[in-house]
Amino acid sequence: MSTATSAGAGTATPATAALTADTALTAETAQTNQHYDLDPRIFGLFLDPMRKYSSGYYREPDLTLAEAQVAKLRFVADRLGLSEGDRLLDVGCGWGALILFMAQEYAARVVGISPAGNQHTYIAQRARELGVADQVTTVQGHFEHAALPAGRFDAVTMLGSIVHMPDLVHVMRRARSLLRRGGRYYVSETCFRNAAARDEFDRRTGTEFVRQSIFGWGDMRPLSDLVRAAEDAGFSVVSVDDLTEDYRRTIDDWLVNVDASAEAIERIRPGMAPTLRRYLEVANAGWGYTTKHYALVCQRSR
């Protein structure tokens, strides 16, 4: 069955009873779930039906948002070389789109970790509805410190979550330690275009709005910082894909949905629709100028 464990627990408990026990992180990083722990209905009103909250993959003409998100998950599986029955850890699992898809489509045994309590209850319910509850486990906590199920993984994924983790080398060393030899590590993240852009735009008004009003703590590093940390952690870099245009199109589709559902979003949380619109507009304004979005794949080769 789908279960959730608290960050300091050693045994599984029902997702509805999961409690965050990770008190070691700073207040800033703890605040990152202020956005992800919002009412699930809000995300259902502007994301795709799987509630996948990261870039789609628009490499075929006229794809809908839902189709692009399925294409992205197949892209991730391909980059990982995922096979039937593989064991996968998704760090920052969100509303479970990736872990539920990999369990359903690839018969993978999956573990998702997130600090946001609402997400675990939702994932447990969806796993039961999809008939994959025996393949899905979730852990509530922060990856840096959380107790995870024993055993090595064939793959570790971080889609849009490493931005909330201060110590890149620590995070990547832990990811590597959890992988079997030959296992792959997938990171997709929004990055400043280069170090100069980071220096210029890191404290601009729009950046601070996203950091403080939406996500709490976050740091968009240049791609070179991610590559250096991966290599310092002992990984071999396998591939780098530029998904900047894909993310721009994803956000365009999200904006259409926010506008179409603004009244319903406002009924759930007054003021949320214009806040979401401003956040998405800030994100889309930077693509290719100040920011990029990359998929980095690494391998534990030894």
Side-chain angles (χ1 to χ4, degrees), residues 50-107:
M50 293 187 295
R51 302 189 188 189
K52 182 174 170 299
Y53 203 11
S54 58
S55 176
Y57 194 68
Y58 292 81
R59 301 306 169 96
E60 299 292 333
D62 303 319
L63 288 182
T64 65
L65 173 63
E67 291 167 340
Q69 294 293 19
V70 170
K72 173 65 175 301
L73 292 173
R74 296 201 185 280
F75 167 82
V76 174
D78 178 70
R79 285 291 183 268
L80 293 171
L82 201 66
S83 300
E84 183 175 338
D86 276 355
R87 193 163 184 252
L88 179 147
L89 171 66
D90 185 31
V91 179
C93 61
W95 301 100
L98 187 145
I99 58 175
L100 294 170
F101 183 87
M102 300 307 181
Q104 203 173 18
E105 296 294 322
Y106 293 86

Short mmCIF file of all heavy atoms in Angstrom, two decimals, residues 50-107:
data_model
loop_
_atom_site.label_atom_id
_atom_site.label_comp_id
_atom_site.label_asym_id
_atom_site.label_seq_id
_atom_site.Cartn_x
_atom_site.Cartn_y
_atom_site.Cartn_z
N MET A 50 -2.54 15.27 -14.22
CA MET A 50 -1.65 14.58 -13.29
C MET A 50 -1.11 15.52 -12.22
O MET A 50 -0.46 15.07 -11.28
CB MET A 50 -0.47 13.97 -14.05
CG MET A 50 -0.81 12.84 -14.98
SD MET A 50 0.68 12.05 -15.67
CE MET A 50 1.38 13.40 -16.65
N ARG A 51 -1.34 16.82 -12.38
CA ARG A 51 -0.81 17.85 -11.48
C ARG A 51 0.72 17.83 -11.46
O ARG A 51 1.35 17.98 -10.40
CB ARG A 51 -1.38 17.71 -10.07
CG ARG A 51 -2.90 17.79 -10.05
CD ARG A 51 -3.48 17.87 -8.68
NE ARG A 51 -4.94 17.76 -8.75
CZ ARG A 51 -5.78 17.97 -7.75
NH1 ARG A 51 -5.30 18.32 -6.57
NH2 ARG A 51 -7.07 17.85 -7.90
N LYS A 52 1.31 17.68 -12.61
CA LYS A 52 2.77 17.71 -12.72
C LYS A 52 3.21 19.17 -12.74
O LYS A 52 2.85 19.93 -13.63
CB LYS A 52 3.23 16.99 -13.99
CG LYS A 52 4.74 16.95 -14.14
CD LYS A 52 5.13 16.09 -15.34
CE LYS A 52 6.61 16.23 -15.64
NZ LYS A 52 6.98 17.62 -15.98
N TYR A 53 4.03 19.55 -11.76
CA TYR A 53 4.38 20.96 -11.55
C TYR A 53 5.82 21.21 -11.98
O TYR A 53 6.65 21.67 -11.19
CB TYR A 53 4.17 21.31 -10.08
CG TYR A 53 3.96 22.79 -9.80
CD1 TYR A 53 3.74 23.71 -10.81
CD2 TYR A 53 3.94 23.25 -8.49
CE1 TYR A 53 3.53 25.05 -10.53
CE2 TYR A 53 3.73 24.59 -8.19
CZ TYR A 53 3.54 25.48 -9.21
OH TYR A 53 3.33 26.82 -8.93
N SER A 54 6.13 20.90 -13.22
CA SER A 54 7.44 21.18 -13.82
C SER A 54 7.27 21.19 -15.32
O SER A 54 6.17 20.95 -15.84
CB SER A 54 8.48 20.14 -13.37
OG SER A 54 8.07 18.83 -13.73
N SER A 55 8.35 21.43 -16.03
CA SER A 55 8.26 21.62 -17.48
C SER A 55 7.71 20.40 -18.21
O SER A 55 8.04 19.26 -17.89
CB SER A 55 9.65 21.94 -18.03
OG SER A 55 9.63 22.03 -19.45
N GLY A 56 6.90 20.68 -19.23
CA GLY A 56 6.50 19.64 -20.17
C GLY A 56 7.58 19.45 -21.23
O GLY A 56 8.68 19.97 -21.11
N TYR A 57 7.22 18.71 -22.29
CA TYR A 57 8.19 18.40 -23.36
C TYR A 57 7.43 18.52 -24.68
O TYR A 57 6.71 17.61 -25.09
CB TYR A 57 8.74 16.99 -23.14
CG TYR A 57 9.97 16.66 -23.96
CD1 TYR A 57 11.18 17.29 -23.71
CD2 TYR A 57 9.93 15.69 -24.94
CE1 TYR A 57 12.32 16.97 -24.43
CE2 TYR A 57 11.06 15.36 -25.67
CZ TYR A 57 12.26 16.00 -25.41
OH TYR A 57 13.38 15.67 -26.12
N TYR A 58 7.61 19.66 -25.35
CA TYR A 58 6.82 20.02 -26.52
C TYR A 58 7.59 19.78 -27.81
O TYR A 58 7.84 20.70 -28.57
CB TYR A 58 6.40 21.48 -26.43
CG TYR A 58 5.40 21.81 -25.33
CD1 TYR A 58 5.82 22.00 -24.02
CD2 TYR A 58 4.05 21.95 -25.62
CE1 TYR A 58 4.92 22.33 -23.02
CE2 TYR A 58 3.13 22.28 -24.63
CZ TYR A 58 3.58 22.46 -23.33
OH TYR A 58 2.69 22.78 -22.34
N ARG A 59 7.97 18.56 -28.10
CA ARG A 59 8.78 18.29 -29.28
C ARG A 59 7.96 17.78 -30.47
O ARG A 59 8.50 17.53 -31.53
CB ARG A 59 9.90 17.30 -28.93
CG ARG A 59 10.82 17.82 -27.82
CD ARG A 59 11.39 19.21 -28.13
NE ARG A 59 12.05 19.82 -26.99
CZ ARG A 59 13.36 19.79 -26.77
NH1 ARG A 59 14.15 19.15 -27.62
NH2 ARG A 59 13.88 20.39 -25.72
N GLU A 60 6.66 17.63 -30.29
CA GLU A 60 5.74 17.30 -31.37
C GLU A 60 4.81 18.48 -31.58
O GLU A 60 4.49 19.21 -30.63
CB GLU A 60 4.94 16.03 -31.05
CG GLU A 60 5.79 14.78 -30.83
CD GLU A 60 6.47 14.32 -32.10
OE1 GLU A 60 5.94 14.60 -33.19
OE2 GLU A 60 7.54 13.69 -32.00
N PRO A 61 4.33 18.71 -32.80
CA PRO A 61 3.46 19.87 -33.05
C PRO A 61 2.11 19.74 -32.36
O PRO A 61 1.56 18.64 -32.23
CB PRO A 61 3.31 19.87 -34.58
CG PRO A 61 3.61 18.47 -35.01
CD PRO A 61 4.62 17.94 -34.03
N ASP A 62 1.61 20.89 -31.90
CA ASP A 62 0.24 21.02 -31.40
C ASP A 62 -0.06 20.16 -30.18
O ASP A 62 -1.20 19.72 -29.97
CB ASP A 62 -0.77 20.68 -32.51
CG ASP A 62 -0.60 21.56 -33.74
OD1 ASP A 62 -0.36 22.77 -33.56
OD2 ASP A 62 -0.68 21.03 -34.86
N LEU A 63 0.93 19.92 -29.34
CA LEU A 63 0.67 19.15 -28.13
C LEU A 63 -0.12 19.99 -27.13
O LEU A 63 0.13 21.18 -26.95
CB LEU A 63 1.98 18.71 -27.48
CG LEU A 63 2.80 17.62 -28.15
CD1 LEU A 63 4.01 17.29 -27.31
CD2 LEU A 63 1.97 16.37 -28.41
N THR A 64 -1.06 19.35 -26.45
CA THR A 64 -1.71 19.99 -25.32
C THR A 64 -0.79 19.93 -24.11
O THR A 64 0.22 19.21 -24.10
CB THR A 64 -3.02 19.27 -24.97
OG1 THR A 64 -2.71 17.95 -24.52
CG2 THR A 64 -3.95 19.21 -26.18
N LEU A 65 -1.12 20.67 -23.06
CA LEU A 65 -0.35 20.61 -21.83
C LEU A 65 -0.29 19.19 -21.29
O LEU A 65 0.78 18.69 -20.90
CB LEU A 65 -0.97 21.55 -20.79
CG LEU A 65 -0.37 21.49 -19.38
CD1 LEU A 65 1.08 21.93 -19.38
CD2 LEU A 65 -1.20 22.35 -18.41
N ALA A 66 -1.43 18.51 -21.27
CA ALA A 66 -1.47 17.14 -20.74
C ALA A 66 -0.57 16.21 -21.55
O ALA A 66 0.16 15.38 -21.00
CB ALA A 66 -2.90 16.63 -20.72
N GLU A 67 -0.61 16.35 -22.87
CA GLU A 67 0.21 15.50 -23.73
C GLU A 67 1.70 15.80 -23.54
O GLU A 67 2.54 14.89 -23.52
CB GLU A 67 -0.19 15.69 -25.18
CG GLU A 67 -1.56 15.14 -25.53
CD GLU A 67 -2.08 15.60 -26.88
OE1 GLU A 67 -1.56 16.62 -27.40
OE2 GLU A 67 -2.99 14.95 -27.42
N ALA A 68 2.04 17.08 -23.39
CA ALA A 68 3.43 17.47 -23.20
C ALA A 68 3.98 16.95 -21.87
O ALA A 68 5.16 16.60 -21.77
CB ALA A 68 3.57 18.99 -23.26
N GLN A 69 3.13 16.88 -20.86
CA GLN A 69 3.59 16.36 -19.57
C GLN A 69 3.81 14.85 -19.62
O GLN A 69 4.76 14.33 -19.01
CB GLN A 69 2.62 16.75 -18.46
CG GLN A 69 2.54 18.24 -18.18
CD GLN A 69 3.83 18.82 -17.59
OE1 GLN A 69 4.90 18.25 -17.68
NE2 GLN A 69 3.72 20.00 -16.98
N VAL A 70 2.98 14.13 -20.33
CA VAL A 70 3.23 12.70 -20.53
C VAL A 70 4.52 12.50 -21.31
O VAL A 70 5.35 11.64 -20.97
CB VAL A 70 2.03 12.03 -21.24
CG1 VAL A 70 2.39 10.61 -21.68
CG2 VAL A 70 0.81 12.00 -20.33
N ALA A 71 4.71 13.31 -22.35
CA ALA A 71 5.94 13.21 -23.15
C ALA A 71 7.17 13.48 -22.28
O ALA A 71 8.21 12.83 -22.45
CB ALA A 71 5.89 14.19 -24.31
N LYS A 72 7.06 14.42 -21.35
CA LYS A 72 8.19 14.72 -20.47
C LYS A 72 8.52 13.53 -19.58
O LYS A 72 9.70 13.19 -19.37
CB LYS A 72 7.87 15.95 -19.62
CG LYS A 72 8.91 16.26 -18.54
CD LYS A 72 10.26 16.67 -19.13
CE LYS A 72 11.22 17.09 -18.02
NZ LYS A 72 10.70 18.23 -17.23
N LEU A 73 7.52 12.88 -19.05
CA LEU A 73 7.78 11.74 -18.17
C LEU A 73 8.41 10.59 -18.95
O LEU A 73 9.28 9.88 -18.42
CB LEU A 73 6.48 11.30 -17.49
CG LEU A 73 5.94 12.32 -16.47
CD1 LEU A 73 4.57 11.89 -15.95
CD2 LEU A 73 6.91 12.51 -15.31
N ARG A 74 8.01 10.41 -20.19
CA ARG A 74 8.65 9.38 -21.03
C ARG A 74 10.10 9.78 -21.35
O ARG A 74 10.98 8.92 -21.42
CB ARG A 74 7.84 9.14 -22.30
CG ARG A 74 6.46 8.57 -22.02
CD ARG A 74 5.86 7.86 -23.23
NE ARG A 74 4.50 7.43 -22.95
CZ ARG A 74 4.18 6.32 -22.27
NH1 ARG A 74 5.14 5.55 -21.79
NH2 ARG A 74 2.91 6.01 -22.07
N PHE A 75 10.34 11.07 -21.55
CA PHE A 75 11.69 11.57 -21.76
C PHE A 75 12.56 11.26 -20.54
O PHE A 75 13.71 10.81 -20.68
CB PHE A 75 11.63 13.08 -22.02
CG PHE A 75 12.95 13.79 -21.95
CD1 PHE A 75 13.81 13.78 -23.04
CD2 PHE A 75 13.33 14.48 -20.80
CE1 PHE A 75 15.04 14.45 -22.99
CE2 PHE A 75 14.55 15.15 -20.75
CZ PHE A 75 15.40 15.13 -21.83
N VAL A 76 12.05 11.52 -19.35
CA VAL A 76 12.80 11.23 -18.12
C VAL A 76 13.12 9.74 -18.03
O VAL A 76 14.25 9.35 -17.74
CB VAL A 76 12.03 11.72 -16.88
CG1 VAL A 76 12.74 11.28 -15.60
CG2 VAL A 76 11.86 13.23 -16.90
N ALA A 77 12.11 8.91 -18.27
CA ALA A 77 12.32 7.46 -18.21
C ALA A 77 13.38 7.02 -19.21
O ALA A 77 14.22 6.15 -18.90
CB ALA A 77 11.01 6.72 -18.47
N ASP A 78 13.37 7.62 -20.39
CA ASP A 78 14.36 7.28 -21.41
C ASP A 78 15.76 7.70 -20.98
O ASP A 78 16.73 6.94 -21.14
CB ASP A 78 13.99 7.96 -22.72
CG ASP A 78 15.01 7.68 -23.82
OD1 ASP A 78 15.08 6.53 -24.29
OD2 ASP A 78 15.74 8.62 -24.21
N ARG A 79 15.90 8.91 -20.43
CA ARG A 79 17.21 9.37 -19.98
C ARG A 79 17.74 8.51 -18.83
O ARG A 79 18.96 8.33 -18.69
CB ARG A 79 17.12 10.83 -19.54
CG ARG A 79 17.04 11.82 -20.69
CD ARG A 79 18.36 11.88 -21.45
NE ARG A 79 18.36 12.87 -22.52
CZ ARG A 79 18.02 12.61 -23.78
NH1 ARG A 79 17.65 11.38 -24.13
NH2 ARG A 79 18.06 13.56 -24.69
N LEU A 80 16.85 7.97 -18.03
CA LEU A 80 17.26 7.11 -16.93
C LEU A 80 17.54 5.67 -17.38
O LEU A 80 18.15 4.90 -16.63
CB LEU A 80 16.18 7.08 -15.85
CG LEU A 80 15.92 8.39 -15.09
CD1 LEU A 80 14.69 8.24 -14.21
CD2 LEU A 80 17.14 8.79 -14.25
N GLY A 81 17.06 5.30 -18.57
CA GLY A 81 17.13 3.92 -18.99
C GLY A 81 16.26 3.03 -18.12
O GLY A 81 16.61 1.87 -17.82
N LEU A 82 15.11 3.55 -17.71
CA LEU A 82 14.25 2.86 -16.75
C LEU A 82 13.68 1.58 -17.35
O LEU A 82 13.20 1.57 -18.48
CB LEU A 82 13.11 3.77 -16.31
CG LEU A 82 12.41 3.44 -15.00
CD1 LEU A 82 13.36 3.61 -13.83
CD2 LEU A 82 11.18 4.32 -14.81
N SER A 83 13.74 0.49 -16.58
CA SER A 83 13.22 -0.81 -17.00
C SER A 83 12.15 -1.28 -16.04
O SER A 83 12.06 -0.80 -14.90
CB SER A 83 14.35 -1.85 -17.06
OG SER A 83 15.36 -1.46 -17.96
N GLU A 84 11.36 -2.22 -16.47
CA GLU A 84 10.28 -2.76 -15.65
C GLU A 84 10.84 -3.28 -14.33
O GLU A 84 11.83 -4.01 -14.29
CB GLU A 84 9.57 -3.89 -16.39
CG GLU A 84 8.38 -4.47 -15.63
CD GLU A 84 7.62 -5.50 -16.43
OE1 GLU A 84 7.74 -5.48 -17.67
OE2 GLU A 84 6.92 -6.33 -15.83
N GLY A 85 10.18 -2.86 -13.25
CA GLY A 85 10.57 -3.33 -11.93
C GLY A 85 11.68 -2.55 -11.27
O GLY A 85 12.07 -2.85 -10.13
N ASP A 86 12.23 -1.53 -11.95
CA ASP A 86 13.31 -0.74 -11.35
C ASP A 86 12.82 0.00 -10.11
O ASP A 86 11.62 0.30 -9.96
CB ASP A 86 13.87 0.27 -12.36
CG ASP A 86 14.91 -0.34 -13.28
OD1 ASP A 86 15.27 -1.52 -13.10
OD2 ASP A 86 15.36 0.37 -14.21
N ARG A 87 13.76 0.34 -9.25
CA ARG A 87 13.47 1.05 -8.01
C ARG A 87 13.90 2.50 -8.18
O ARG A 87 15.06 2.78 -8.50
CB ARG A 87 14.21 0.39 -6.86
CG ARG A 87 13.78 0.83 -5.48
CD ARG A 87 14.26 -0.17 -4.43
NE ARG A 87 13.75 0.21 -3.12
CZ ARG A 87 14.52 0.71 -2.15
NH1 ARG A 87 15.81 0.91 -2.34
NH2 ARG A 87 13.98 1.02 -0.98
N LEU A 88 12.97 3.44 -7.98
CA LEU A 88 13.20 4.86 -8.26
C LEU A 88 12.83 5.71 -7.06
O LEU A 88 11.81 5.49 -6.42
CB LEU A 88 12.37 5.28 -9.48
CG LEU A 88 12.46 6.74 -9.93
CD1 LEU A 88 12.32 6.84 -11.44
CD2 LEU A 88 11.37 7.61 -9.28
N LEU A 89 13.69 6.71 -6.77
CA LEU A 89 13.43 7.71 -5.74
C LEU A 89 13.23 9.05 -6.40
O LEU A 89 14.09 9.51 -7.15
CB LEU A 89 14.62 7.78 -4.77
CG LEU A 89 14.59 8.94 -3.76
CD1 LEU A 89 13.45 8.79 -2.77
CD2 LEU A 89 15.94 9.03 -3.02
N ASP A 90 12.10 9.71 -6.12
CA ASP A 90 11.83 11.04 -6.66
C ASP A 90 11.87 12.04 -5.51
O ASP A 90 11.04 11.98 -4.58
CB ASP A 90 10.46 11.07 -7.34
CG ASP A 90 10.18 12.41 -8.03
OD1 ASP A 90 11.15 13.05 -8.48
OD2 ASP A 90 9.01 12.80 -8.11
N VAL A 91 12.83 12.95 -5.55
CA VAL A 91 13.04 13.93 -4.49
C VAL A 91 12.29 15.21 -4.86
O VAL A 91 12.56 15.82 -5.89
CB VAL A 91 14.54 14.22 -4.31
CG1 VAL A 91 14.74 15.27 -3.22
CG2 VAL A 91 15.30 12.94 -3.99
N GLY A 92 11.35 15.60 -4.00
CA GLY A 92 10.44 16.69 -4.33
C GLY A 92 9.34 16.17 -5.22
O GLY A 92 9.12 16.66 -6.32
N CYS A 93 8.63 15.15 -4.73
CA CYS A 93 7.70 14.38 -5.58
C CYS A 93 6.41 15.11 -5.91
O CYS A 93 5.62 14.63 -6.73
CB CYS A 93 7.38 13.04 -4.93
SG CYS A 93 6.57 13.16 -3.31
N GLY A 94 6.19 16.28 -5.30
CA GLY A 94 5.00 17.06 -5.64
C GLY A 94 3.71 16.28 -5.41
O GLY A 94 3.54 15.60 -4.40
N TRP A 95 2.83 16.37 -6.40
CA TRP A 95 1.54 15.69 -6.31
C TRP A 95 1.60 14.27 -6.88
O TRP A 95 0.57 13.67 -7.15
CB TRP A 95 0.47 16.52 -7.00
CG TRP A 95 0.37 17.88 -6.38
CD1 TRP A 95 0.89 19.05 -6.85
CD2 TRP A 95 -0.25 18.21 -5.13
NE1 TRP A 95 0.65 20.07 -5.97
CE2 TRP A 95 -0.05 19.59 -4.91
CE3 TRP A 95 -0.96 17.46 -4.18
CZ2 TRP A 95 -0.53 20.24 -3.78
CZ3 TRP A 95 -1.42 18.12 -3.05
CH2 TRP A 95 -1.22 19.48 -2.87
N GLY A 96 2.82 13.77 -7.06
CA GLY A 96 3.00 12.35 -7.40
C GLY A 96 2.97 12.01 -8.87
O GLY A 96 2.95 10.83 -9.21
N ALA A 97 2.98 13.00 -9.75
CA ALA A 97 2.85 12.70 -11.18
C ALA A 97 3.91 11.71 -11.65
O ALA A 97 3.61 10.72 -12.30
CB ALA A 97 2.94 14.00 -12.00
N LEU A 98 5.17 11.98 -11.29
CA LEU A 98 6.24 11.12 -11.78
C LEU A 98 6.19 9.73 -11.15
O LEU A 98 6.26 8.72 -11.87
CB LEU A 98 7.60 11.78 -11.53
CG LEU A 98 8.81 11.06 -12.13
CD1 LEU A 98 9.86 12.07 -12.59
CD2 LEU A 98 9.44 10.07 -11.17
N ILE A 99 6.07 9.65 -9.85
CA ILE A 99 6.11 8.33 -9.23
C ILE A 99 4.89 7.48 -9.61
O ILE A 99 5.02 6.28 -9.85
CB ILE A 99 6.28 8.40 -7.70
CG1 ILE A 99 5.17 9.21 -7.02
CG2 ILE A 99 7.65 8.96 -7.35
CD1 ILE A 99 5.26 9.19 -5.49
N LEU A 100 3.74 8.10 -9.72
CA LEU A 100 2.54 7.34 -10.10
C LEU A 100 2.64 6.88 -11.56
O LEU A 100 2.27 5.75 -11.89
CB LEU A 100 1.29 8.19 -9.88
CG LEU A 100 0.97 8.53 -8.42
CD1 LEU A 100 -0.14 9.57 -8.34
CD2 LEU A 100 0.59 7.28 -7.64
N PHE A 101 3.16 7.73 -12.42
CA PHE A 101 3.32 7.37 -13.83
C PHE A 101 4.32 6.23 -13.98
O PHE A 101 4.07 5.26 -14.72
CB PHE A 101 3.79 8.59 -14.62
CG PHE A 101 3.92 8.36 -16.11
CD1 PHE A 101 2.84 8.54 -16.94
CD2 PHE A 101 5.13 7.98 -16.66
CE1 PHE A 101 2.94 8.34 -18.32
CE2 PHE A 101 5.26 7.78 -18.02
CZ PHE A 101 4.16 7.95 -18.85
N MET A 102 5.46 6.32 -13.31
CA MET A 102 6.47 5.28 -13.44
C MET A 102 6.00 3.96 -12.84
O MET A 102 6.32 2.88 -13.35
CB MET A 102 7.78 5.72 -12.78
CG MET A 102 8.39 6.98 -13.37
SD MET A 102 8.62 6.95 -15.18
CE MET A 102 9.37 8.55 -15.47
N ALA A 103 5.20 4.03 -11.79
CA ALA A 103 4.63 2.81 -11.22
C ALA A 103 3.63 2.18 -12.18
O ALA A 103 3.62 0.95 -12.39
CB ALA A 103 3.96 3.11 -9.89
N GLN A 104 2.81 3.01 -12.81
CA GLN A 104 1.76 2.52 -13.68
C GLN A 104 2.29 2.06 -15.03
O GLN A 104 1.93 0.98 -15.53
CB GLN A 104 0.72 3.63 -13.89
CG GLN A 104 -0.65 3.13 -14.30
CD GLN A 104 -1.66 4.26 -14.32
OE1 GLN A 104 -1.33 5.44 -14.36
NE2 GLN A 104 -2.93 3.91 -14.32
N GLU A 105 3.17 2.85 -15.63
CA GLU A 105 3.62 2.59 -17.00
C GLU A 105 4.85 1.70 -17.08
O GLU A 105 5.07 1.03 -18.10
CB GLU A 105 3.92 3.92 -17.70
CG GLU A 105 2.71 4.82 -17.87
CD GLU A 105 1.67 4.24 -18.81
OE1 GLU A 105 2.08 3.63 -19.83
OE2 GLU A 105 0.47 4.38 -18.52
N TYR A 106 5.69 1.68 -16.04
CA TYR A 106 6.94 0.93 -16.08
C TYR A 106 7.03 -0.13 -14.98
O TYR A 106 8.08 -0.76 -14.83
CB TYR A 106 8.13 1.88 -15.98
CG TYR A 106 8.26 2.78 -17.19
CD1 TYR A 106 7.56 3.99 -17.27
CD2 TYR A 106 9.07 2.44 -18.27
CE1 TYR A 106 7.67 4.81 -18.38
CE2 TYR A 106 9.18 3.25 -19.39
CZ TYR A 106 8.48 4.44 -19.43
OH TYR A 106 8.59 5.25 -20.55
N ALA A 107 5.95 -0.30 -14.23
CA ALA A 107 5.92 -1.25 -13.11
C ALA A 107 7.08 -1.00 -12.15
O ALA A 107 7.62 -1.93 -11.54
CB ALA A 107 5.95 -2.69 -13.63
#
